[in-house]
Amino acid sequence: MEHVNTADGKREVHVAFVGNPNCGKTTLFNALTGSKLKVANWPGVTVEKKEGSAVYEDCNLTLIDTPGIYSLTCYTIEEKVTRQCVMDDDIEVIVNIVDASSLERNLYLTLQLLELGKPVVLALNMMDIVKERGMEIDLHRLPELLGGIPVVPVSAAKRTGLEILLHAVVHHYEEGPSSHVVTYRQDIEEKIAKLEVVMQARFPDHASVRWHAIKLMEDDEDVWREHPVSVTDIVDRNYEKDIIQQKYQYIETIVKEVLFHKEKKAAFTEKIDSVLTHSFWGVPVFLMIMGLVFFLTFSVGDFLKGGFEVVISFLSVEAETILTSVGCAGWLISLITDGIIAGVGGILTFIPNIVILFLALAILEDSGYMSRVAYVMDGIMGKAGLSGKAFLPMVLGFGCTVPAIMATRALETEHDRRKTMLVTPFMSCSARLPIYVLFSDMFFPRHSVIAAFSMYVIGMLVAIAIALLMQKFEKGQENESLLIELPEYKRPNGRTIAIYVWAKLKDYLEKAGTVIFVASILIWFLLNFGFHGMVTDASDSFGAVLGRWMVPLLKPAGLGMWQIGVALISGISAKEVVVSSFAVLFGVINANSETGMQTIIAHINAQYPGFGPLNAYALMVFCLLYVPCMATIATVKKESGSWKFTGAMVVFQLLLAWVAAVLVYQIGSLFL
Amino acid sequence: MTLYEGTKDKSYRVEGLFVEEAVTRRLQALGLNDGTVLKILNRKKRGAMIIQVRGTRLALGKHISSCIEVKEEA
C-alpha cells in the first residue's frame, strides 16, 4: 500500500470507528483523541460523523466517529452516513467496536465489515460486564474464526487497552486486508463468483468486489444505482434473507466456540426494570422522576444563586466607579453597566439552575433509562401516531431544542420526523428556565416552584395534544411499530457526566458572550436612541415605537405594554434575552435578585397598574409556546430541508402562543 | 400464534416474519430470523413488549409483535 507522508515525516492513516448503537464508539473516540463529544447510554446519541486525531509511533491518525448501526444497509439516515463513510476510499482501517456483552448480535455487523475487504481491527469493549455476568470469551479462538484480524479487549470508560488498540491499527494497516470469512451455501457462492467476474470486468479498479457482489444479491438499491450491471440472469430473486441467516448461523458457531458459561444473567437490570418498566407504574414513575429533576433544578439552583448575585453586583459597582474615574463618556458607562452587565450578567446568575438541570439529565441519559422511557411512553405516543422512540427527542428538548431536533434523525419515516420536530419545541428548554424562575419568583413568591413546574407540564401536554390533534386530522393509524434496544443499566460514569455538563455550560456561556451580548447592546441602543438621537426618556426611543405597534395585539393577553413587546421580539434571538430585555429596559443590574425583582415589579406597575400574577402567568405561557430561538429555526430548516415547513412552524407557534396566552388571561380574569 | 399473544417469562421460537419489508430486514439484522429463540421479559396488557434475543433486550411495538409468527418453546 502507498503511504502518504506529511510534512513532519509521519504517515497519515485514516481510521473509521464503526459499531452497533450504544457499544461505546464515542467513549473510545473521546479517550483516544481527547475530544469531548457527547456520550450517553441509549442507542442513537451520535447522529453525525465527527473527526479527531491521535499520534501513535510514526503515524498521524485521523479518527472518524460514526453513528451506530446494526447493518450496512441504508434504511435510516445513520446507516447512510456510516456506510458512506466506511466505503470512502480514504478510510484505510476500520476499527469495529463490539459490545462484548452482546457479542452475538454485534458480530453480524463485523461479518459485513469483513466482506468489504478493508483491514478491520476488532475492539472488544465492555469486557467488565462480561466478567460480571460470569462469562468468558476465548480470545485466541475468536480471531481465528474471524479471518485472523486482531482482536483487542479495551475498556473505553476505564481507558485500558488503548495503546494496544492503536498498535494493532498501525500494524494491521501495514499488513493489509484479511481473507473472507463466511462461506455461503454453494448456489449462493456460485452466483457471487459470477457477479464478481462481471463487476471486475466493468469496474477493474474496484476495491471491494465481493461485498458489492453480495449487496447485488441482497437487491441493495444504492449498489444497483452506482453499479448498473445487467445481471438479471444471475440474480433471479432477493437473497437477502438467506445471506442474513447464514451469517447468523456462522455467528452461532463462533459463539458456541468462544463464549463460555452464560447461565448467570444480569439480575441487576431485570430487578430495576421490574419497577421502571412496570405495565402500570411505568408512566407515574417517569413523571415522578421528571418532577424530581425540575424540583432539584429550581430549589437547589435557587439556593446556590446567592453567590453569583454578590459577584455581579460587585462587578457592576466597580465598573461604574472605574469608568467614571477615568472620565468615560456617559453613554459608554451606560452601555457597559445598563446594557452589557445588566443584559449578560443577569443571565449568568441562572448558571446554578442550568447546571443542576443538565446534571440531572446527564445522569438520566447515562444510566440506561432513556430507552425505557421510549417503551413506557409508547402507548400514549402510539395514540398520537408516533412511536415511543419519538419521545426521546422530546425529553432531550428539556435541555436544549437544537440537539433535540437533530435527534429526530433516529426516527424511521420523514412523516414521524417532521411531526416530532413540530412538537419538540413545546418542551421547555433550559433557555426558558430564567424566564420561569424570574416571573414565578416575582409574582408567585410563595408558590414559585409550582408555578414554574406547571410550565413544564403544560408544555408536555400541549406537545402531546398537538400530536393527537394532527393524528385525528390525518386520520392516521395508531403507531405501534416501536423497535428499540434496551441497554444494560449502569452506574453513570463521572467523566461522561462531567463532559456532558461542561459542554452544556460552555454552550450557555458562549451564548451569553455572543447572542445575548449582542442582543443586549442592540436592546440598549433601541431604548436609548430615538429619531432625535440619544433620549433621556425611553418612551421616546426606537424600542418604544416598535413595542407600541405590538400593544394592541398583546392587550387581550393582559400584556399590553410596549416593553413586553420589545422583550418578546428580542427573545426570538434566544429565550434568555427576554429576561435580559427586562433588565436593560428597567435599568436593573441583576434581575435575579431581591432588589432587582422589586425594581422590575415597581416599573411594571407604574406602566401597567394591576399587572399581577395572572398577567405574569399569561406571559410565561406565551414564552413557553412561541418561537424558541433563531438557532432552533435554523436547525429545523436544516433538518427538514424545507423553508415552507419551517415557516409554517414559526407561524403556528406564534398563533398558538397568542391564543393560549389570551385564553389564560381571559378565562383567568373571570375568576380573579 | 403471534408473538403478541405470548406471555411474560415464556420462550418462543420464530416461525416467520410478516411485517413490512424495511422492518423485516431490520429485525433480521438484529438477529430475529426463522428459528431464532426469544424470551418475553415484560409486556403491557395491550401494547409494547420487551423481549430478549441473542443476549440483547429489545422493545417491540404491538404492530411488530403481532406480525411475528412464533411457536412456544418447551
Side-chain angles (χ1 to χ4, degrees):
Chain A
M1 239 185 218
E2 205 180 319
H3 297 147
V4 185
N5 289 296
T6 48
D8 53 0
K10 289 189 170 171
R11 281 184 296 131
E12 283 284 326
V13 184
H14 290 82
V15 187
F17 279 36
V18 185
N20 282 181
N22 211 41
C23 69
K25 289 175 294 300
T26 305
T27 311
L28 190 63
F29 178 85
N30 282 347
L32 288 170
T33 61
S35 309
K36 292 187 169 56
L37 300 181
K38 182 185 167 181
V39 170
N41 187 18
W42 49 278
V45 179
T46 307
V47 290
E48 277 180 313
K49 64 171 193 176
K50 290 271 163 62
E51 276 188 24
S53 57
V55 177
Y56 186 76
E57 289 177 351
D58 62 338
C59 286
N60 279 329
L61 303 164
T62 303
L63 308 181
I64 296 137
D65 188 28
T66 63
I69 53 169
Y70 292 112
S71 167
L72 273 185
T73 43
C74 47
Y75 298 117
T76 63
I77 300 179
E78 289 111 315
E79 282 180 358
K80 279 180 195 149
V81 170
T82 303
R83 178 158 135 170
Q84 208 171 16
C85 170
V86 174
M87 302 292 298
D88 195 323
D89 289 336
D90 277 355
I91 298 297
E92 287 136 315
V93 185
I94 298 169
V95 171
N96 176 207
I97 294 103
V98 158
D99 173 357
S101 68
S102 80
L103 192 64
E104 202 171 336
R105 198 208 54 229
N106 278 253
L107 284 179
Y108 177 67
L109 180 66
T110 309
L111 293 183
Q112 294 183 69
L113 291 171
L114 289 175
E115 279 167 353
L116 280 172
K118 287 191 179 187
V120 176
V121 175
L122 202 76
L124 268 185
N125 197 13
M126 312 207 188
M127 287 295 276
D128 40 345
I129 298 179
V130 174
K131 218 180 215 169
E132 265 171 42
R133 285 202 212 157
M135 301 184 333
E136 249 177 275
I137 294 174
D138 184 340
L139 292 173
H140 289 285
R141 192 66 188 126
L142 184 58
E144 281 174 13
L145 291 166
L146 294 173
I149 60 163
V151 173
V152 185
V154 297
S155 168
K158 293 186 187 123
R159 313 188 144 215
T160 57
L162 304 185
E163 290 272 309
I164 305 170
L165 180 68
L166 288 183
H167 183 83
V169 166
V170 171
H171 187 65
H172 200 64
Y173 164 64
E174 291 168 334
E175 266 178 8
S178 42
S179 60
H180 87 245
V181 176
V182 187
T183 311
Y184 298 99
R185 221 169 48 212
Q186 203 186 344
D187 61 315
I188 295 180
E189 279 296 338
E190 277 166 12
K191 284 178 192 295
I192 292 175
K194 278 185 199 162
L195 287 170
E196 281 182 296
V197 174
V198 176
M199 285 286 295
Q200 209 106 51
R202 266 298 288 278
F203 308 98
D205 299 329
H206 218 291
S208 40
V209 177
R210 184 175 165 85
W211 186 81
H212 279 87
I214 294 171
K215 280 289 154 191
L216 288 176
M217 297 280 287
E218 290 180 350
D219 206 12
D220 187 284
E221 270 176 43
D222 284 21
V223 172
W224 276 117
R225 203 176 332 110
E226 285 158 29
H227 305 88
V229 283
S230 104
V231 287
T232 35
D233 50 328
I234 307 173
V235 189
D236 49 348
R237 65 176 175 93
N238 184 341
Y239 284 88
E240 189 174 18
K241 196 175 173 187
D242 309 67
I243 290 170
I244 294 175
Q245 273 195 334
Q246 286 183 35
K247 278 206 181 85
Y248 265 108
Q249 269 165 23
Y250 186 72
I251 292 170
E252 278 166 25
T253 45
I254 298 181
V255 170
K256 240 174 248 157
E257 282 200 43
V258 304
L259 198 64
F260 296 107
H261 54 99
K262 315 200 293 183
E263 58 284 341
K264 224 163 92 185
K265 282 274 181 290
F268 177 63
T269 290
E270 252 79 273
K271 263 183 208 153
I272 300 179
D273 263 349
S274 64
V275 181
L276 295 186
T277 64
H278 189 275
S279 52
F280 178 76
W281 292 107
V283 177
V285 166
F286 166 69
L287 292 177
M288 262 158 54
I289 290 176
M290 289 323 286
L292 184 70
V293 167
F294 299 124
F295 175 75
L296 288 175
T297 302
F298 294 122
S299 55
V300 182
D302 270 359
F303 176 74
L304 291 173
K305 79 178 182 192
F308 281 79
E309 286 173 14
V310 178
V311 177
I312 299 287
S313 57
F314 173 79
L315 214 74
S316 170
V317 173
E318 282 303 296
E320 193 161 358
T321 333
I322 293 169
L323 289 171
T324 319
S325 69
V326 295
C328 249
W331 67 269
L332 190 60
I333 298 175
S334 164
L335 171 66
I336 291 173
T337 55
D338 305 336
I340 297 168
I341 295 183
V344 178
I347 289 307
L348 295 182
T349 59
F350 294 96
I351 284 176
N353 304 85
I354 302 284
V355 168
I356 304 261
L357 173 67
F358 281 114
L359 196 65
L361 289 178
I363 292 171
L364 273 190
E365 282 196 53
D366 203 38
S367 64
Y369 182 54
M370 285 290 274
S371 288
R372 272 78 183 180
V373 173
Y375 169 75
V376 164
M377 296 300 285
D378 185 60
I380 298 168
M381 296 300 286
K383 287 195 181 62
L386 289 168
S387 95
K389 228 172 164 178
F391 203 72
L392 297 189
M394 290 166 72
V395 175
L396 295 183
F398 285 133
C400 174
T401 317
V402 171
I405 298 279
M406 289 174 67
T408 59
R409 289 185 192 185
L411 300 175
E412 281 84 9
T413 68
E414 193 56 31
H415 168 264
D416 290 9
R417 282 197 76 202
R418 288 204 171 181
K419 197 163 167 180
T420 312
M421 270 188 230
L422 196 68
V423 299
T424 300
F426 299 126
M427 310 302 274
S428 283
C429 67
S430 60
R432 280 166 257 193
L433 195 97
I435 306 175
Y436 304 156
V437 172
L438 183 67
F439 280 89
S440 43
D441 273 352
M442 283 195 302
F443 290 94
F444 304 91
R446 254 174 284 157
H447 307 285
S448 61
V449 173
I450 297 172
F453 181 60
S454 69
M455 286 298 125
Y456 286 84
V457 178
I458 293 175
M460 212 152 70
L461 290 178
V462 167
I464 292 175
I466 299 283
L468 277 169
L469 273 175
M470 284 175 73
Q471 172 73 357
K472 269 252 163 72
F473 191 67
E474 295 168 334
K475 295 201 175 68
Q477 290 201 326
E478 255 188 59
N479 186 321
E480 293 163 331
S481 331
L482 176 70
L483 178 53
I484 192 172
E485 187 187 342
L486 306 180
E488 204 81 355
Y489 285 109
K490 66 179 186 72
R491 188 147 30 90
N493 179 299
R495 202 186 160 77
T496 303
I497 305 276
I499 288 177
Y500 182 109
V501 175
W502 171 239
K504 297 294 180 185
L505 183 61
K506 219 172 73 186
D507 281 352
Y508 190 75
L509 292 175
E510 258 174 35
K511 195 153 73 162
T514 53
V515 178
I516 298 173
F517 177 79
V518 173
S520 299
I521 294 177
L522 258 171
I523 296 164
W524 174 84
F525 173 80
L526 283 175
L527 295 171
N528 285 282
F529 287 82
F531 292 108
H532 309 293
M534 201 162 173
V535 294
T536 42
D537 184 359
S539 57
D540 297 328
S541 67
F542 291 126
V545 175
L546 192 73
R548 271 193 205 106
W549 171 83
M550 286 188 57
V551 167
L553 276 174
L554 292 171
K555 215 166 199 164
L559 306 173
M561 215 174 123
W562 68 262
Q563 287 91 338
I564 291 178
V566 172
L568 291 178
I569 293 175
S570 41
I572 294 177
S573 59
K575 279 272 168 91
E576 297 96 334
V577 173
V578 172
V579 170
S580 304
S581 304
F582 276 101
V584 179
L585 272 162
F586 302 130
V588 178
I589 295 305
N590 177 7
N592 193 18
S593 67
E594 201 55 46
T595 44
M597 290 183 195
Q598 290 311 326
T599 321
I600 294 177
I601 295 177
H603 276 278
I604 291 178
N605 277 326
Q607 283 280 327
Y608 191 135
F611 190 101
L614 185 60
N615 308 62
Y617 203 75
L619 180 65
M620 283 159 74
V621 168
F622 193 92
C623 289
L624 161 68
L625 300 174
Y626 90 115
V627 186
C629 63
M630 292 309 285
T632 303
I633 297 174
T635 310
V636 169
K637 162 65 185 58
K638 191 173 146 236
E639 296 294 315
S640 68
S642 158
W643 274 118
K644 209 174 133 196
F645 174 77
T646 313
M649 189 189 84
V650 169
V651 172
F652 173 67
Q653 285 162 342
L654 286 171
L655 271 177
L656 182 74
W658 184 81
V659 170
V662 169
L663 281 178
V664 165
Y665 185 68
Q666 296 299 338
I667 295 175
S669 303
L670 298 177
F671 296 99
L672 295 174
Chain B
M1 65 182 283
T2 68
L3 179 59
Y4 178 67
E5 294 159 348
T7 19
K8 194 181 155 181
D9 292 328
K10 280 199 174 151
S11 294
Y12 299 88
R13 185 180 288 271
V14 177
E15 303 225 293
L17 303 172
F18 302 97
V19 68
E20 298 86 341
E21 192 60 26
V23 183
T24 304
R25 294 192 190 196
R26 175 149 285 234
L27 289 172
Q28 285 172 335
L30 286 162
L32 225 85
N33 296 296
D34 293 1
T36 308
V37 176
L38 53 84
K39 185 181 168 193
I40 300 180
L41 292 180
N42 200 351
R43 64 163 307 152
K44 297 180 193 170
K45 255 193 201 121
R46 277 177 294 278
M49 60 167 64
I50 302 176
I51 61 163
Q52 179 145 38
V53 57
R54 297 188 194 269
T56 319
R57 235 174 257 102
L58 293 179
L60 294 183
K62 178 181 165 185
H63 169 66
I64 296 181
S65 64
S66 22
C67 293
I68 300 177
E69 199 57 39
V70 294
K71 206 175 133 185
E72 199 174 329
E73 184 82 347

